[in-house]
Amino acid sequence: MNVKNKPMRADKARKHVEILSAAAKVINSANADVISLEEIAQAAQVTRATIYNHFSSREQLLVEMVLPALEYLDQGILEVEERQTGLDGLANLLCDLFENFRGILEIQSCATLRENQALREAYLRFREHFLRFLGRIPGLNEDQGLVPAMRIIGETYIPILRVLNENEADPSRVRSQFKNILKGMVLV
């Protein structure tokens, strides 16, 4: 009996990932609050019942899409801080985040997720680590404003990386240009 259950668990896990992947392709910042599970089921080529076998609600599905991106970012900040790579390390982390979670990052501020406790806790952890990281950057201190620096980075890095990626085919040049822009924004 255990032998038979293992493939089912693997199939269920695979289906779970397939649903999240399909959802990431059809959900964006404009429709995250209004897209139905039926639309997500169609994109995933499953029934709505299958969606409910994996997620209790649209909010849970959205949380499972966004939470890994926040955790990736938080862990990345800790690693950048540990390696003491400063703004270069931060720029690389944000580029990696953009490449791996591009569409997902844009839905994290949708109304459906604003009050979600798990996301709020993950964000507050990240915020604490990020502000500590910014406080250790030479040329940037609390007098210059850590919170404004964090806000500037948070509100601009996705649009900047989107434009850079649209206009530059070479990923290493995108990273180099982004590092220069980031330094200019934060160290002014």
Side-chain angles (χ1 to χ4, degrees), residues 38-56:
E38 183 66 38
E39 292 169 290
I40 295 167
Q42 287 175 353
Q45 299 179 348
V46 298
T47 65
R48 202 167 91 194
T50 300
I51 298 283
Y52 278 111
N53 282 334
H54 292 269
F55 307 97
S56 62

Side-chain angles (χ1 to χ4, degrees), residues 159-172:
I160 290 169
L161 282 170
R162 187 181 302 119
V163 168
L164 289 175
N165 277 286
E166 288 170 359
N167 295 309
E168 178 60 60
D170 180 5
S172 64

Side-chain angles (χ1 to χ4, degrees), residues 5-71:
N5 285 341
K6 286 187 180 181
M8 287 178 57
R9 286 188 192 132
D11 287 347
K12 187 168 183 167
R14 185 174 50 253
K15 183 59 69 181
H16 194 85
V17 169
E18 288 171 4
I19 293 168
L20 287 171
S21 178
K25 291 176 184 170
V26 297
I27 296 175
N28 58 52
S29 59
N31 72 5
D33 287 318
V34 295
I35 195 165
S36 69
L37 287 178
E38 183 66 38
E39 292 169 290
I40 295 167
Q42 287 175 353
Q45 299 179 348
V46 298
T47 65
R48 202 167 91 194
T50 300
I51 298 283
Y52 278 111
N53 282 334
H54 292 269
F55 307 97
S56 62
S57 65
R58 183 171 50 89
E59 179 181 348
Q60 183 194 6
L61 185 143
L62 292 172
V63 166
E64 288 195 36
M65 289 173 62
V66 173
L67 193 56
L70 276 173
E71 291 170 344

Side-chain angles (χ1 to χ4, degrees), residues 18-163:
E18 288 171 4
I19 293 168
L20 287 171
S21 178
K25 291 176 184 170
V26 297
I27 296 175
N28 58 52
S29 59
N31 72 5
D33 287 318
V34 295
I35 195 165
S36 69
L37 287 178
E38 183 66 38
E39 292 169 290
I40 295 167
Q42 287 175 353
Q45 299 179 348
V46 298
T47 65
R48 202 167 91 194
T50 300
I51 298 283
Y52 278 111
N53 282 334
H54 292 269
F55 307 97
S56 62
S57 65
R58 183 171 50 89
E59 179 181 348
Q60 183 194 6
L61 185 143
L62 292 172
V63 166
E64 288 195 36
M65 289 173 62
V66 173
L67 193 56
L70 276 173
E71 291 170 344
Y72 177 91
L73 184 58
D74 186 42
Q75 187 59 40
I77 283 294
L78 294 173
E79 290 172 12
V80 166
E81 185 178 34
E82 183 179 302
R83 294 183 189 139
Q84 299 180 351
T85 54
L87 287 177
D88 287 342
L90 176 61
N92 284 327
L93 172 63
L94 292 176
C95 286
D96 290 344
L97 184 72
F98 182 79
E99 290 168 10
N100 294 318
F101 297 99
R102 182 178 305 192
I104 294 168
L105 293 170
E106 295 179 2
I107 67 167
Q108 70 184 6
S109 61
C110 73
T112 302
L113 298 179
R114 248 182 234 132
E115 301 302 319
N116 183 276
Q117 189 63 30
L119 289 180
R120 185 165 181 69
E121 289 171 5
Y123 173 76
L124 290 173
R125 260 191 319 276
F126 158 73
R127 185 178 191 277
E128 175 187 335
H129 297 148
F130 193 64
L131 288 172
R132 184 181 66 213
F133 165 78
L134 287 177
R136 294 182 178 165
I137 294 175
L140 179 71
N141 59 46
E142 276 192 58
D143 296 336
Q144 294 168 303
L146 297 180
V147 173
M150 181 179 174
R151 190 172 297 123
I152 289 168
I153 293 167
E155 292 176 0
T156 61
Y157 82 93
I158 292 174
I160 290 169
L161 282 170
R162 187 181 302 119
V163 168

